[in-house]
Amino acid sequence: MSLEQTIAQMQQQMSDMQREITRLNDAAEVRKLHHKYGYFIDHCRYDETVDLFDEEEGEVYFLNGVYKGRAGITRLYCDWFRNMFTRGVNGPIPGFLLDHFLSQDIVDISEGGNTAWVRARCIMMAGYHESVENLVPEMPRSCWEGGIHENTYIKKDGVWKIKTLNYNMLWQADYAKGWGASDVHLLPLTKTYPEDPSGPDYLRDAIPPTWPNTRHVPYHYKHPVNGKDVPYGE
Amino acid sequence: MSLEQTIAQMQQQMSDMQREITRLNDAAEVRKLHHKYGYFIDHCRYDETVDLFDEEEGEVYFLNGVYKGRAGITRLYCDWFRNMFTRGVNGPIPGFLLDHFLSQDIVDISEGGNTAWVRARCIMMAGYHESVENLVPEMPRSCWEGGIHENTYIKKDGVWKIKTLNYNMLWQADYAKGWGASDVHLLPLTKTYPEDPSGPDYLRDAIPPTWPNTRHVPYHYKHPVNGKDVPYGE
Amino acid sequence: MSLEQTIAQMQQQMSDMQREITRLNDAAEVRKLHHKYGYFIDHCRYDETVDLFDEEEGEVYFLNGVYKGRAGITRLYCDWFRNMFTRGVNGPIPGFLLDHFLSQDIVDISEGGNTAWVRARCIMMAGYHESVENLVPEMPRSCWEGGIHENTYIKKDGVWKIKTLNYNMLWQADYAKGWGASDVHLLPLTKTYPEDPSGPDYLRDAIPPTWPNTRHVPYHYKHPVNGKDVPYGE
């Protein structure tokens, strides 16, 4: 091999390595972005949460509603959640707990390097202390929630942002009763914006089943060993 | 240094870097494999779970039983769990919860690069809703389980597979009573296959203690600062 | 470009890549260090816990107390916790549960590469079984604790160690009552060492609020999209 060929080959190897390093860094950044989202919503930082989304392409799937773009996402977090949970305060308030424990992430970066997917779990421990007035009529004083995120992220100008936050709330339980004797307390949405001023842009055709029903949350990946799609089924 | 020496040195550095990148990628793959395992068992995807194991060397340590190879692992997941938990359905069924929240992973890759170890935690929230018939006689309607995985993985033909799933169930609790007033409801195994058609290949000599007893789950690593082995008992 | 220039440029690229690889490895090491800390304290391995800290610069923020250096940290883990929780045993004892589930880590490495920060969540499930004598008078038989770590790590002679363990205990709850009807059972410290033989070196000026009060736990990072500091109070 000529010297020129050797150097060209080395440059190609270096380019391949750099791409792998970039993917590793990207996966770490996206994972941190998801966790930062979690800390913001724990502490009722709704303005900061909205800023994590891509302004144009950002969207949230929550219950059977879809909230589109900056306006829709602001309605969800600032108009609905902030008014419901903290009566308009952008930050934690006394006697209100909303801890989301995020774990079990599976982060994948697209071939092109500008899209990412995260599947992760969420356990929520929430409620309000007996010393405060009932903040949320529907919510038990102490409650559980279990769900799965299957989110999409997008990299623009070198910055990762949330594109689709697809949160699949699967079950909720009154702490006093446990999941064996509870149904979900958060019911499907029935109205869209502007009829509901903090409502979603549209409702999904089908209402995703919730506890005591169960459902498959589709994976963004194939089976890691046999390479097959995992069927939906029962 | 001659040009040839310079280039040889650069090639060596590149080779070292590539090995480090491969290890980082391998650690990420193994971590994802563990989490994918978790989502499959959450959703009672037992066929897909079995396919995560190496066909020949795969094995599971569960309670005091050891299940060897494809046949043994199929007995555990498909013959025992699938019949017990979902009455033969390969997927989630209404009113049955079996969420495993996996976290706190410590992933290490062997020097050779084809073996990996994962230590990780598992909290299980399980049970069946009051609207369904009692599916599992021994299981409380809502219950907890805490455990530690100390697993081994193997890379064959570029694909990571589970070699040894060593799940150490440490405690269980009836939700209504809490861990302060509960003993484990899952008792040690007493029979092997074929006497028990879904039984393990063999029983371990000693029954691993469970709550209210406690035990040391050996680490696959040494102390990260002082470099010593961590001793066993008190 | 001359051959020499080409090679110099390649060497620079390799140096940049090596630095990125080192940072990825460092982030993985620091994350594992945090998780190893968690397994040690779960299993009441207090001697091993103390050895995770830098001997000179190590410190712990716990409640409103600060424990400095090897001597202070030993007072906290060995003199206080080990005597309180396990009556002097360095390891798990029958009937005592102290599981810390660590998750949602955000690991960042400094520009210089020798300092690291970790934000992470902790759910604690603790208590003592009814079959044993009451080990800790203040502790409910089964209890919860939620908190956030915002720790600093330091790399010396190639080994990562804990510099500042800043654990922010935010809420505790009696299992029987849930967080809606519980206050914290662990109260602020009132004495320092040597008046309290296992006390902290000093007390912080302000007592960090705990449940049913809430508080902001400052982030070691800026907002990942808008780049702003996240403001404190409401």
Side-chain angles (χ1 to χ4, degrees), chain B residues 2-228:
Chain B
S2 75
L3 180 60
E4 276 176 7
Q5 283 173 319
T6 299
I7 286 179
Q9 194 187 59
M10 287 168 68
Q11 286 173 325
Q12 181 58 49
Q13 287 171 6
M14 283 171 57
S15 170
D16 292 347
M17 285 199 292
Q18 184 58 63
R19 208 184 55 219
E20 287 191 75
I21 291 168
T22 301
R23 292 169 71 83
L24 286 162
N25 277 325
D26 281 337
E29 282 307 308
V30 168
R31 187 172 177 272
K32 286 193 272 193
L33 177 54
H34 181 54
H35 290 177
K36 289 172 186 177
Y37 164 83
Y39 290 111
F40 283 151
I41 54 169
D42 278 0
H43 285 173
C44 305
R45 294 277 168 192
Y46 297 112
D47 288 335
E48 289 77 7
T49 301
V50 169
D51 272 359
L52 295 173
F53 286 81
D54 186 72
E55 281 200 43
E56 289 88 39
E57 297 180 70
E59 58 180 2
V60 180
Y61 284 71
F62 184 70
L63 303 173
N64 59 323
V66 183
Y67 301 79
K68 304 282 290 180
R70 163 72 52 150
I73 293 168
T74 301
R75 286 200 308 276
L76 173 65
Y77 289 107
C78 301
D79 297 343
W80 185 16
F81 289 169
R82 187 161 63 199
N83 285 324
M84 173 170 65
F85 288 137
T86 60
R87 293 178 175 149
V89 172
N90 196 63
I93 59 168
F96 180 61
L97 184 74
L98 192 67
D99 274 6
H100 301 74
F101 294 86
L102 306 183
S103 69
Q104 205 176 332
D105 57 274
I106 294 175
V107 183
D108 288 296
I109 307 291
S110 69
E111 268 308 298
N114 291 318
T115 298
W117 301 272
V118 175
R119 186 184 186 90
R121 295 219 62 123
C122 178
I123 310 182
M124 193 171 77
M125 300 162 92
Y128 45 88
H129 189 261
E130 60 190 4
S131 62
V132 298
E133 300 285 310
N134 191 324
L135 289 171
V136 184
E138 305 79 13
M139 186 183 280
R141 199 158 278 284
S142 301
C143 63
W144 294 104
E145 182 176 305
I148 292 178
H149 285 96
E150 260 291 356
N151 297 346
T152 309
Y153 299 81
I154 191 166
K155 193 183 192 180
K156 287 189 178 174
D157 299 325
V159 177
W160 283 102
K161 303 173 187 181
I162 307 173
K163 187 182 175 198
T164 303
L165 189 103
N166 176 14
Y167 177 58
N168 298 270
M169 186 271 275
L170 297 175
W171 57 269
Q172 294 182 312
D174 183 338
Y175 185 87
K177 295 178 183 173
W179 39 90
S182 299
D183 296 355
V184 301
H185 58 263
L186 200 51
L187 299 179
L189 300 161
T190 55
K191 294 177 190 166
T192 55
Y193 175 84
E195 188 189 358
D196 174 357
S198 62
D201 290 86
Y202 64 89
L203 300 177
R204 298 164 79 173
D205 289 338
I207 294 175
T210 50
W211 184 251
N213 286 309
T214 56
R215 65 179 150 120
H216 182 76
V217 177
Y219 311 94
H220 71 259
Y221 47 84
K222 294 182 188 296
H223 191 289
V225 175
N226 70 27
K228 292 183 192 162

Side-chain angles (χ1 to χ4, degrees), chain A residues 37 41 44-62 66-84 88 90 165 193 196-201:
Chain A
Y37 164 83
I41 54 169
C44 306
R45 296 274 169 195
Y46 298 112
D47 289 334
E48 290 78 7
T49 301
V50 170
D51 272 358
L52 294 174
F53 286 83
D54 185 71
E55 282 200 43
E56 289 88 38
E57 298 180 70
E59 58 179 2
V60 180
Y61 284 69
F62 184 70
V66 184
Y67 301 79
K68 303 282 289 181
R70 164 72 52 149
I73 293 169
T74 301
R75 286 201 307 277
L76 173 65
Y77 288 106
C78 301
D79 297 344
W80 185 16
F81 288 170
R82 188 162 61 198
N83 285 323
M84 173 170 65
N90 196 63
L165 189 103
Y193 176 84
D196 174 356
S198 62
D201 289 270

Side-chain angles (χ1 to χ4, degrees), chain A residues 3 55 60 85 106 159 206 208:
Chain A
L3 179 60
E55 282 200 43
V60 180
F85 288 137
I106 294 175
V159 178

Side-chain angles (χ1 to χ4, degrees), chain B residues 3 6 10 13-14 17 20-21 24 31 103-108 119-123 144 148 171 175 178-183 211-217 219 221 223-226 230-232 234, chain C residues 3 7 10-11 14 17-18 21 24-25 31-33 35-36 38-40 42-43 45 48 51-52 89 92-97 99-103 125-126 128-130 141-144 159-160 175:
Chain B
L3 180 60
T6 299
M10 287 168 68
Q13 287 171 6
M14 283 171 57
M17 285 199 292
E20 287 191 75
I21 291 168
L24 286 162
R31 187 172 177 272
S103 69
Q104 205 176 332
D105 57 274
I106 294 175
V107 183
D108 288 296
R119 186 184 186 90
R121 295 219 62 123
C122 178
I123 310 182
W144 294 104
I148 292 178
W171 57 269
Y175 185 87
W179 39 90
S182 299
D183 296 355
W211 184 251
N213 286 309
T214 56
R215 65 179 150 120
H216 182 76
V217 177
Y219 311 94
Y221 47 84
H223 191 289
V225 175
N226 70 27
V230 179
Y232 278 62
E234 286 70 42
Chain C
L3 179 61
I7 285 179
M10 288 168 69
Q11 286 173 325
M14 282 170 59
M17 285 199 291
Q18 183 58 61
I21 292 168
L24 287 162
N25 278 325
R31 186 172 178 273
K32 286 193 273 192
L33 177 54
H35 290 177
K36 289 172 187 177
Y39 289 112
F40 283 152
D42 278 0
H43 285 172
R45 294 277 169 193
E48 289 77 7
D51 273 359
L52 295 173
V89 172
I93 59 168
F96 180 61
L97 185 74
D99 273 7
H100 301 74
F101 294 86
L102 306 182
S103 68
M125 300 162 92
Y128 45 88
H129 189 262
E130 60 190 3
R141 199 157 278 285
S142 301
C143 63
W144 294 103
V159 178
W160 284 101
Y175 185 88

